[in-house]
Amino acid sequence: MKEDLVAIAKWAHNEAIASQYDIDTNNMFLVGHSMGGQSVLNAAKELPFIKGVVAMAAYDIGAAFRYKMEKELFLMIETEGQCLKMTSASDVYENALFHQQELSVLNNYESLINKNVLLIEASFDTIAPPERMLMPLAKLLKEADGKIEYKKISSNHSFIGQRMKLANFVGDWIESIVEL
């Protein structure tokens, strides 16, 4: 959840905590995959101290409703959501439906224009198709002269067989931005 990400980032950015755990508060990044990618993109708007944000095969709930992918979203919540603390898949789905505008990364793109953003698509992704979920955000950020880098990896949503390449993309990008 975005709220959890914001709370943890603020906790880690606190001077006492940062000192205790040797956290470099000038070089904090948010990284997320799938709905976690949506969450980090949305959380970044509330965290001015975040140095950058990485979204890998980000799932955009707003896009799911825009492109009439409701059935797929419900099935994903019902099957993959078993790891979540939820009363029912229907409740989670209804919450997503009610908050779709707020959750849509396109509606929050202005808050990302001045942030370092790395978007990584999985080219064969059928769960979060890049042309629906990631490319529209990349296009808006590029048109606004945002600090965006867009990478493609020939893999499915889970980046099977390409995780070392994925890790290298993320690590190299962070290294290029970090202030030492």
Side-chain angles (χ1 to χ4, degrees):
M1 298 275 306
K2 176 190 82 161
E3 293 79 14
D4 294 331
L5 285 169
V6 170
I8 291 168
K10 287 180 178 179
W11 174 84
H13 193 257
N14 175 288
E15 188 176 317
I17 299 300
S19 177
Q20 180 180 352
Y21 293 102
D22 198 26
I23 297 170
D24 181 353
T25 58
N26 293 316
N27 289 302
M28 294 178 67
F29 292 80
L30 298 177
V31 181
H33 172 257
S34 195
M35 284 194 185
Q38 172 187 268
S39 295
V40 298
L41 290 166
N42 285 329
K45 72 179 180 181
E46 296 180 34
L47 301 166
F49 56 85
I50 290 297
K51 185 75 165 194
V53 59
V54 180
M56 305 170 292
Y59 191 94
D60 182 0
I61 286 178
F65 288 104
R66 273 193 308 281
Y67 289 104
K68 310 292 184 219
M69 299 170 64
E70 293 95 339
K71 288 179 187 175
E72 294 89 342
L73 174 59
F74 184 82
L75 287 172
M76 183 172 52
I77 292 168
E78 193 172 48
T79 57
E80 305 299 324
Q82 296 304 311
C83 64
L84 302 174
K85 183 179 176 183
M86 64 178 178
T87 53
S88 73
S90 294
D91 287 348
V92 174
Y93 177 84
E94 291 299 321
N95 186 54
L97 177 62
F98 183 76
H99 293 286
Q100 64 180 291
Q101 293 303 314
E102 174 188 338
L103 293 170
S104 175
V105 296
L106 292 183
N107 293 336
N108 298 313
Y109 87 94
E110 295 95 346
S111 64
L112 298 169
I113 292 171
N114 295 317
K115 294 216 182 284
N116 296 299
V117 177
L118 173 60
L119 301 177
I120 304 174
E121 83 168 45
S123 300
F124 306 124
D125 193 343
T126 57
I127 294 169
E131 65 278 0
R132 292 181 175 181
M133 303 275 174
L134 214 49
M135 288 179 178
L137 174 60
K139 182 180 181 217
L140 286 173
L141 289 173
K142 284 180 183 178
E143 288 172 355
D145 291 325
K147 298 184 230 173
I148 178 174
E149 189 165 338
Y150 192 92
K151 297 281 191 179
K152 297 180 181 186
I153 295 181
S154 296
S155 190
N156 66 3
H157 187 69
S158 299
F159 294 99
I160 291 176
Q162 298 293 326
R163 292 186 184 147
M164 287 304 296
K165 181 182 245 181
L166 176 65
N168 286 329
F169 278 168
V170 174
D172 291 346
W173 180 79
I174 289 174
E175 191 173 75
S176 74
I177 293 169
V178 167
E179 295 174 9
L180 298 176

